[in-house]
Amino acid sequence: MSLNATPRANRVHIALFGKRNAGKSSLINAITKQETAVVSPVKGTTTDPVYKAMELLPLGPVVFIDTAGLDDEGELGELRKRKTLEVLEKTDLALLVIDAAEGISDFEISMAAYLKQKKIPAIGVLNKIDLDVPADSLLKESEDKLELKTLAVSAAAGKGISELRKAMGDAVPDDDDKFKIVGDLIQPGDFVVLVTPIDKAAPKGRLILPQQQTIRDILESDAIAVVTKEYELKETLERLGTKPKLVITDSQAFLKVAADTPKDVPLTSFSILFARHKGDLTELVKGAKAVESLKDGDKVLIAEACTHHQQSDDIGRVKIPRWLRQTTGKEIQFEFANGYSFPPNITDYSLIVHCGSCMLNRRSMLHRIAQAVDANVPIVNYGVLIAYVQGIFPRAIDMFPLARLMWEEE
């Protein structure tokens, strides 16, 4: 997969925050060496968050997020500020842009404290040092008051941009080894069998995103990926001539694959792997157990991070509601939400069933799980739930000790 084709969810999310006209858009243009963002001397030119995916050395694939000024005014200004703050949910690195001509204000101090509270890596950027400003004293004041590493730059003149790029590379946490999809479960030379039914919702000629990413992770681990469909699995295993290290299946083929996979071969699903890769598998296991407590009249929210063309047998709107009603025997009410945020009334729900989050980055999914936990609402994802309702849950999580322990304790 080329860098330009890297999905947004797999890119480092770098967001710029600051007052209106602090030079956020100009700074993005200077960093990227492109006319990425619209620049104007008029305050409030940037209204909604603007996303720009690109390659930035030394970070590789990134997405820049240009946000509206957090000092925006009026009713529309409040809406824009709310959209800007929502960006924090997915931010891997924040650049707090300060207008050197205006200096450090309570706004920057409170924003720096908020970033620290949210545990978001951040860099202060003192912009417009090409103007007649005391840059050295402002830098010291910024580092003292904001408790952030702060660099002095001029987006207009291109000063300090190389140093800023290097600081950004140093500030982004490297979670590659910790949050592999499957690479930490296998060794070089291992055979991994992937069962990939042809998804009717996927564009013709393509595998769905989690399947693509898992194959890439296996190859990067110097293991061997063998791809087959569910009805060819038994023959594939017989022809392989050696026992695979692991079988990974699409959740909707779980029962067929479980029946054809020898009991001594570990089995899990793409969705369960992504529950661990993108979120908190143990918390999602707790959500699966909450199915047992559902009662007549309870509301369940089906939440998907993206929009897609719905099939007649759509997994979120058709299959999961049917499986939950069959498993519980209860008259459950279902509501549906698409997009990058939950409805404001999540305390109304007895359970949230979330998609596999292939279009979300890890920080976004962890934020969603935290929202549910804070509201005392159990949350589970599609793959974990499907394994549960189809009665093969213990086997599907057997290779994940903490998740298995949560299941046994609960």
Side-chain angles (χ1 to χ4, degrees):
M1 181 182 293
S2 70
L3 289 171
N4 286 337
T6 301
R8 183 188 289 178
N10 284 26
R11 295 175 179 266
V12 175
H13 285 51
I14 303 171
L16 286 79
F17 302 96
K19 291 181 179 179
R20 290 175 296 166
N21 219 27
K24 299 185 294 296
S25 300
S26 297
L27 186 60
I28 286 183
N29 290 346
I31 293 170
T32 63
K33 298 181 180 179
Q34 299 177 20
E35 293 299 315
T36 297
V38 177
V39 176
S40 166
V42 178
K43 284 189 175 183
T45 299
T46 302
T47 53
D48 293 323
V50 177
Y51 294 78
K52 172 61 178 178
M54 65 170 299
E55 178 192 0
L56 181 71
L57 296 175
L59 292 174
V62 303
V63 57
F64 280 99
I65 312 173
D66 189 13
T67 66
L70 282 166
D71 60 334
D72 214 339
E73 299 169 343
E75 187 175 341
L76 275 177
E78 286 301 318
L79 291 173
R80 290 168 184 164
K81 284 194 284 185
R82 194 181 310 157
K83 285 287 186 184
T84 293
L85 291 173
E86 285 178 2
V87 169
L88 285 167
E89 299 169 9
K90 63 190 78 171
T91 299
D92 297 308
L93 173 64
L95 302 184
L96 180 54
V97 185
I98 307 153
D99 188 335
E102 295 188 9
I104 313 299
S105 69
D106 289 344
F107 166 80
E108 285 85 13
I109 293 171
S110 63
M111 188 64 193
Y114 190 64
L115 291 167
K116 188 175 182 180
Q117 175 193 338
K118 292 288 187 180
K119 299 181 180 178
I120 298 173
I123 298 172
V125 184
L126 186 67
N127 192 23
K128 304 184 184 180
I129 60 165
D130 52 310
L131 305 178
D132 187 17
V133 295
D136 290 342
S137 61
L138 282 171
L139 273 176
K140 185 177 186 311
E141 181 186 2
S142 175
E143 295 200 349
D144 289 344
K145 290 184 176 180
L146 305 183
E147 298 181 359
L148 288 179
K149 176 182 179 66
T150 304
L151 287 84
V153 307
S154 167
K159 292 182 179 178
I161 300 301
S162 295
E163 291 80 3
L164 176 57
R165 284 200 197 98
K166 182 179 184 308
M168 290 162 60
D170 294 340
V172 173
D174 184 4
D175 290 334
D176 283 350
D177 291 334
K178 185 175 181 182
F179 297 116
K180 287 182 179 293
I181 300 169
V182 69
D184 60 322
L185 302 173
I186 58 179
Q187 300 294 326
D190 282 344
F191 282 88
V192 181
V193 176
L194 300 99
V195 184
T196 59
I198 300 303
D199 194 317
K200 294 178 183 177
K204 191 172 181 62
R206 300 186 199 172
L207 297 176
I208 61 175
L209 192 57
Q211 296 169 357
Q212 296 176 38
Q213 293 174 345
T214 304
I215 292 170
R216 173 63 182 263
D217 197 38
I218 293 167
L219 297 178
E220 287 185 346
S221 302
D222 297 324
I224 301 163
V226 179
V227 183
T228 187
K229 292 189 295 183
E230 67 271 40
Y231 294 104
E232 286 77 38
L233 173 62
K234 193 169 185 180
E235 182 181 355
T236 299
L237 293 174
E238 290 171 354
R239 288 192 175 191
L240 198 56
T242 186
K243 186 168 69 176
K245 175 73 172 184
L246 176 63
V247 172
I248 305 170
T249 181
D250 182 279
S251 297
Q252 297 185 68
F254 241 140
L255 281 178
K256 169 67 176 167
V257 173
D260 290 344
T261 302
K263 297 297 183 185
D264 60 342
V265 174
L267 167 67
T268 193
S269 71
F270 293 103
S271 197
I272 288 175
L273 289 173
F274 271 74
R276 184 184 73 127
H277 176 62
K278 290 287 186 74
D280 184 338
L281 181 58
T282 55
E283 198 62 48
L284 298 174
V285 169
K286 286 174 64 176
K289 289 293 289 183
V291 172
E292 298 173 358
S293 304
L294 291 175
K295 304 182 297 295
D296 287 329
D298 278 351
K299 289 184 178 181
V300 171
L301 176 67
I302 309 291
E304 294 187 327
C306 65
T307 56
H308 60 270
H309 178 68
Q310 292 169 15
Q311 306 289 320
S312 59
D313 59 347
D314 189 77
I315 184 170
R317 293 181 177 263
V318 178
K319 290 184 176 179
I320 284 177
R322 181 174 71 238
W323 288 330
L324 278 174
R325 289 190 177 111
Q326 289 172 344
T327 300
T328 63
K330 306 297 182 184
E331 289 298 322
I332 301 166
Q333 300 179 45
F334 291 93
E335 295 183 3
F336 306 89
N338 295 89
Y340 289 106
S341 58
F342 285 143
N345 60 325
I346 63 170
T347 54
D348 293 348
Y349 301 104
S350 300
L351 178 67
I352 297 172
V353 182
H354 202 285
C355 68
S357 71
C358 60
M359 301 305 293
L360 295 178
N361 66 350
R362 178 173 169 78
R363 184 175 285 274
S364 293
M365 190 58 197
L366 287 173
H367 174 78
R368 288 189 166 203
I369 293 172
Q371 277 185 295
V373 171
D374 290 346
N376 200 30
V377 179
I379 182 169
V380 64
N381 85 337
Y382 284 8
V384 173
L385 179 69
I386 292 170
Y388 174 81
V389 298
Q390 294 190 349
I392 51 178
F393 198 55
R395 184 179 182 184
I397 63 167
D398 188 60
M399 68 193 71
F400 309 116
L402 290 178
R404 188 176 66 244
L405 181 62
M406 174 64 69
W407 169 264
E408 293 168 351
E409 286 182 350
E410 291 288 310

